[in-house]
Amino acid sequence: MSQLPSQRERRRYVLVRFVPEGISLDPREVYAAVAEACTSLWGDTVSSEISPSVMAWEGQAIVRCRRGTEDRLITAISTITRVGDERVALRTITTSGTLHAIRSRMYPRPELLWERKVGIGGRIFLARAYSGQKVDLIEKGIKGQEMLFFATEDGEVR
Amino acid sequence: MPLIDGCIHPYPEGDSSIRRMALTARELGFDQVVAAGGNDEVPGVLKGTIIAATSVKEVVSTLQGIPQGDGVVMVTSGDLAFNRAVIGLRRVRVLKGIQRSPKGAFNHVAAREAEAKGVAVELDLSPLVGERGIQRQRVISRYRDLLQLHRRYHFPVTLASNARSILGQRSVRDMVFLARLFDMEEGEVMGALSSLDSILSGRSPVQVVRG
């Protein structure tokens, strides 16, 4: 395995974005989800080679791994469907060899355009519209929250 | 060649509207998606019809109720006799859910017939994402066997996220990585993602040109 003059192993950094937009997740739970996905897909031996760790935070995450294992890390990340109790998708944006380069690819959270209540099928949802014609509908119930994902063109949210 | 996600399930079956899923698919690198029970009024969406029947007779009677040229007709796979009979039906384009059928449900004979009739076999990536442990291992092993048949008999295959939500949709790059789990190479993934376009336009993937 290639090493720097300081004897530190070379690393790769993967920038990950969370969907739905605006969701806030506990970094420890994200780490647990990444570690579980790696272990269940690749087993303990390969997971220890990948050695994933969650580095930074702002609606996006930087996941660090050993160089040469980034493809396996990305495959494992694509199998994550939940972080803690939240249903999420983790979209990998880019991979880089330095934190500096990957930070330059980070972007601010999508802008919230409007927020209002809408009724769909006799249920009341809080609709949040984001840039890119996206409207997320949130229903808060006794058993937690349910989400629907629509677009501004959809008749239900117009 | 356009890249097509072989099947998605929009609202009300899933939790995301057809427009939102089409937007997400575009962001994730797809040109088109096949939406089960959807319509083709939304740009980038092909209408898909899934027939889940237990007998060939039932499939034939359902097919009679579907207008000619009405999107992509997909039939849920069954045992070998059922699959061979379904492949022979003229309007069937895709055989779905092969990973849930018995192991011998798609053999070299069915593979030859699928190649001759231009019927694609769908490789559903949702179990690779959603399942864990032995269930996922079985699916990977099944797809590996199917891929060997595909390499030998050249019947079309499609890749589908079968997402019921935007959270279940995966990018083209993710699909390339997921397909590597069963040894599918990048070129084969791209071929599978664009195979529906050839099937729907009636083009053979290999064209013989006489000089």
Side-chain angles (χ1 to χ4, degrees), chain A residues 17 19-20 36-37 40-42 71 74-75 78-81 87-89 91-92 95 120 132-136 147-151 153-154 156, chain B residues 11 14-21 23-24 27-28 128-133 136 140 164-171 173-174 177-178 180-181:
Chain A
R17 179 171 67 92
V19 179
E36 187 277 332
S40 77
L41 188 66
W42 299 114
D71 288 359
I74 293 168
T75 313
S78 73
T79 68
I80 295 173
T81 56
R87 282 177 59 227
V88 292
R91 310 262 193 243
T92 51
T95 309
I120 296 174
Q133 303 175 35
K134 295 169 184 167
V135 183
D136 293 353
M147 291 192 81
L148 297 178
F149 304 97
F150 280 68
E153 289 289 300
D154 287 314
E156 289 91 339
Chain B
Y11 183 82
D15 67 11
S16 308
S17 75
I18 196 165
R19 281 192 175 82
R20 180 67 180 271
M21 290 186 99
L23 275 173
T24 306
E27 280 179 6
L28 296 174
L128 302 182
V129 173
E131 301 287 354
R132 294 285 188 271
R136 182 157 62 188
I140 291 171
R164 286 176 159 71
S165 166
I166 56 161
L167 306 180
Q169 288 179 275
R170 292 290 176 268
S171 67
R173 188 172 175 233
D174 285 342
F177 285 131
L178 286 168
R180 271 190 206 162
L181 294 174

Side-chain angles (χ1 to χ4, degrees), chain B residues 71-146:
Chain B
V72 184
V73 177
M74 300 172 273
V75 178
T76 308
S77 127
D79 61 15
L80 178 63
F82 177 88
N83 291 346
R84 285 188 60 193
V86 161
I87 287 167
L89 298 174
R90 205 161 52 88
R91 292 173 57 200
V92 174
R93 304 290 193 195
V94 179
L95 196 61
K96 265 183 89 67
I98 200 84
Q99 77 282 1
R100 287 191 296 270
S101 302
K103 202 162 183 197
F106 193 86
N107 62 8
H108 64 286
V109 183
R112 275 200 193 120
E113 287 172 354
E115 192 275 327
K117 299 280 181 185
V119 174
V121 174
E122 182 194 275
L123 301 179
D124 176 7
L125 296 180
S126 67
L128 302 182
V129 173
E131 301 287 354
R132 294 285 188 271
I134 189 76
Q135 278 86 9
R136 182 157 62 188
Q137 291 164 26
R138 280 194 187 127
V139 174
I140 291 171
S141 151
R142 199 67 202 284
Y143 287 172
R144 225 174 246 149
D145 295 344
L146 274 169

